[in-house]
C-alpha cells in the first residue's frame, strides 16, 4: 500500500522567470536588451573614449560663455593693437599664442581664436543635432510605413527615396541658401540661416535611415508578436507604434549617432563655401575659409580643422561601438 499524499500544505512558490538561483545560492537576475548593450559598451574602451569626448564637446557648446569668460576674450572683440599694422600678422610667436590667447589671434583684426573655436561648436552641433532629428523622424516614419504595408506604398516611397538620393544636394543647398533674402518666414539673421541649413540637411538626408528602417521592418513584420497582435484585432497604428517602433529603437539610435558627424561635415562645407551662417558669427567652416588667405599662418587653420576632426572622429567611434553593443554579429 502506498502512503497517502499530503495535500494539506501549500506548494512551494516558484521564483519568477527573471530570477534564478545560481551556484552558491546567489540569485541570477535577467537583464534587458538595454542592460546587455550597456555592459558590452562599457567594455569597449575606444567607444567610451569617443562618448566622453562627445559629452565634453556638448558641455563646451552649452557653457561657451562661461568658458570664454574664464579662459578667453569675447569672440567679436578686436585686438588690432596686437597685430602688425603693415602685414596684419599677430605679434608674437606661433600667431600670438599666450596664456591670454590660448590659440593665438586671427590675422588683421586680432580676435581671440580660442573663443571663436568654442563658440563655433554651438553652431555646428546645433545644426547637426536638429538636422539629424528631422532626418530620423521622416526616415523612420517613411521606412516603417513602406516596410509594413508593402505593395504600391512601398514602391511609391522607394522611388521617392531614389529621387532624393539622386538629388544634387550640395548644388541645391548653395543655390537655395544664396537665393533666400535676409528676412523670410518670419526669421532673420542667424536664425534664418540655421533654419535653412537644418531643413536642407535634414529633409534631403532622410532616405539613408529610411532604407535601413524599411529593411528592419520587413523582417519584424513577420515575427510572432506581430502576428499575435493581428490575431487579437490590433489595427495598423497600434502595430506600428506599439509593436514595431519599440523594436526599432536600437537601429534608429545607432544610425542617428552615425548621421550626426556627416551633418557636421556638410554644415562645415557650406560655411567654407560661404553659404552657411554668415560672419561675424563664428563657425568652424567659416574660420577655415578665412584661413585660406593666410596659408603662412598654419595655426589659423589647424585649430578649427582639428575641432572638426576630433568631433567627427568621436561621434564615429561612439556610433561604431554602439552598433557593436546592440548587435555583436556586426564585428
Amino acid at each position: 500500500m502506498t502512503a497517502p499524499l499530503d495535500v494539506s500544505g501549500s506548494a512551494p512558490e516558484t521564483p519568477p522567470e527573471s530570477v534564478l538561483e545560481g551556484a552558491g545560492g546567489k540569485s541570477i537576475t535577467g537583464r534587458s536588451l538595454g542592460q546587455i548593450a550597456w555592459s558590452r559598451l562599457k567594455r569597449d574602451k575606444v567607444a567610451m573614449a569617443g562618448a566622453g569626448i562627445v559629452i565634453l564637446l556638448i558641455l563646451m557648446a552649452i557653457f561657451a560663455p562661461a568658458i570664454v569668460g574664464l579662459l578667453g576674450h569675447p569672440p567679436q572683440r578686436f585686438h588690432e593693437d596686437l597685430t602688425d599694422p603693415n602685414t596684419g600678422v599677430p605679434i608674437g610667436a606661433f600667431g600670438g599664442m599666450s596664456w591670454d590667447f590660448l590659440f593665438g589671434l586671427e590675422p588683421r583684426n586680432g580676435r581671440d581664436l580660442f573663443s571663436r573655436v568654442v563658440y563655433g561648436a554651438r553652431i555646428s552641433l546645433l545644426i547637426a543635432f536638429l538636422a539629424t532629428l528631422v532626418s530620423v523622424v521622416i526616415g523612420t516614419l517613411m521606412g516603417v510605413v513602406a516596410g509594413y504595408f508593402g505593395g504600391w506604398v512601398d514602391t511609391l516611397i522607394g522611388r521617392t527615396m531614389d529621387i532624393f538620393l539622386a538629388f544634387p544636394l550640395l548644388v541645391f543647398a548653395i543655390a537655395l541658401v544664396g537665393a533666400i533674402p535676409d528676412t523670410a518666414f518670419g526669421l532673420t539673421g542667424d536664425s534664418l540661416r540655421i533654419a535653412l541649413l537644418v531643413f536642407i540637411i535634414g529633409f534631403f538626408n532622410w532616405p539613408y535611415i529610411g532604407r535601413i528602417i524599411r529593411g528592419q521592418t520587413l523582417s519584424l513584420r513577420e515575427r510572432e508578436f506581430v502576428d499575435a497582435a493581428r490575431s487579437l484585432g490590433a489595427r495598423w497604428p497600434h502595430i506600428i507604434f506599439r509593436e514595431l517602433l519599440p523594436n526599432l529603437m536600437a537601429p534608429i539610435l545607432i544610425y542617428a549617432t552615425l548621421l550626426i558627424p556627416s551633418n557636421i561635415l556638410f554644415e562645415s562645407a557650406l560655411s567654407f563655401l560661404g553659404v552657411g551662417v554668415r560672419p561675424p558669427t563664428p563657425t568652424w567652416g567659416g574660420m577655415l575659409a578665412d584661413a585660406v588667405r593666410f596659408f603662412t599662418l598654419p595655426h589659423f587653420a589647424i585649430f578649427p580643422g582639428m575641432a572638426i576632426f576630433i568631433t567627427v572622429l568621436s561621434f564615429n567611434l561612439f556610433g561604431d561601438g554602439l552598433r557593436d553593443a546592440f548587435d555583436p554579429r556586426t564585428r
Side-chain angles (χ1 to χ4, degrees):
M1 175 180 284
T2 59
L5 296 175
D6 183 10
V7 295
S8 59
S10 59
E13 294 184 1
T14 303
E17 295 180 1
S18 60
V19 180
L20 302 175
E21 187 173 346
K26 296 182 179 179
S27 62
I28 303 175
T29 305
R31 295 183 298 174
S32 65
L33 176 61
Q35 292 173 328
I36 296 173
W38 170 241
S39 66
R40 293 174 183 152
L41 184 63
K42 287 191 299 183
R43 294 194 296 267
D44 191 340
K45 303 302 182 184
V46 176
M48 292 303 295
I53 297 175
V54 167
I55 293 173
L56 290 177
L57 289 169
I58 295 174
L59 292 176
M60 182 183 71
I62 295 174
F63 299 104
I67 295 174
V68 169
L70 291 174
L71 302 174
H73 303 267
Q76 307 300 349
R77 180 181 296 176
F78 288 6
H79 301 87
E80 295 178 337
D81 56 318
L82 299 178
T83 61
D84 190 301
N86 297 320
T87 62
V89 176
I91 299 174
F94 305 106
M97 293 177 61
S98 64
W99 288 111
D100 291 331
F101 299 94
L102 298 178
F103 290 174
L105 301 167
E106 281 190 346
R108 292 184 180 176
N109 51 47
R111 289 182 295 191
D112 187 1
L113 196 58
F114 170 78
S115 300
R116 294 183 64 78
V117 170
V118 171
Y119 269 89
R122 284 187 150 190
I123 299 297
S124 294
L125 293 180
L126 177 62
I127 293 175
F129 277 114
L130 292 180
T132 301
L133 179 62
V134 173
S135 297
V136 167
V137 171
I138 299 176
T140 300
L141 291 177
M142 291 295 185
V144 170
V145 170
Y148 179 76
F149 289 103
W152 68 269
V153 176
D154 186 18
T155 302
L156 177 61
I157 295 178
R159 298 296 79 77
T160 304
M161 290 182 184
D162 293 337
I163 294 173
F164 274 84
L165 291 174
F167 205 79
L169 180 55
L170 183 60
V171 177
F172 175 76
I174 295 174
L176 180 61
V177 176
I180 295 295
D182 293 335
T183 301
F185 314 110
L187 301 174
T188 185
D190 291 344
S191 300
L192 176 61
R193 288 280 170 162
I194 292 174
L196 284 175
L197 292 176
V198 168
F199 168 76
I200 293 171
I201 299 174
F203 184 72
F204 287 92
N205 276 335
W206 68 263
Y208 294 101
I209 191 169
R211 284 191 164 185
I212 295 168
I213 299 303
R214 173 188 173 273
Q216 295 288 330
T217 305
L218 287 173
S219 175
L220 288 175
R221 73 176 185 179
E222 305 299 334
R223 300 285 292 274
E224 291 81 1
F225 64 90
V226 176
D227 291 336
R230 289 197 194 100
S231 65
L232 292 174
R235 296 181 177 272
W236 66 265
H238 174 88
I239 295 176
I240 288 179
F241 291 101
R242 300 297 298 274
E243 304 293 341
L244 293 178
L245 278 181
N247 289 280
L248 291 170
M249 290 308 298
I252 291 173
L253 182 61
I254 292 169
Y255 288 99
T257 307
L258 296 174
L259 190 60
I260 291 174
S262 65
N263 290 342
I264 292 175
L265 289 175
F266 195 83
E267 181 276 330
S268 299
L270 291 178
S271 297
F272 181 83
L273 295 173
V275 291
V277 178
R278 291 179 176 176
T281 302
T283 61
W284 292 339
M287 295 172 68
L288 286 176
D290 294 337
V292 172
R293 295 174 294 175
F294 299 94
F295 58 89
T296 58
L297 301 174
H299 81 286
F300 195 17
I302 286 176
F303 290 113
M306 287 300 298
I308 297 174
F309 172 76
I310 292 173
T311 304
V312 172
L313 180 63
S314 301
F315 272 105
N316 282 329
L317 292 177
F318 177 59
D320 288 340
L322 202 62
R323 179 179 56 193
D324 293 339
F326 277 104
D327 189 4
R329 293 172 299 177
T330 59
R331 291 188 176 185

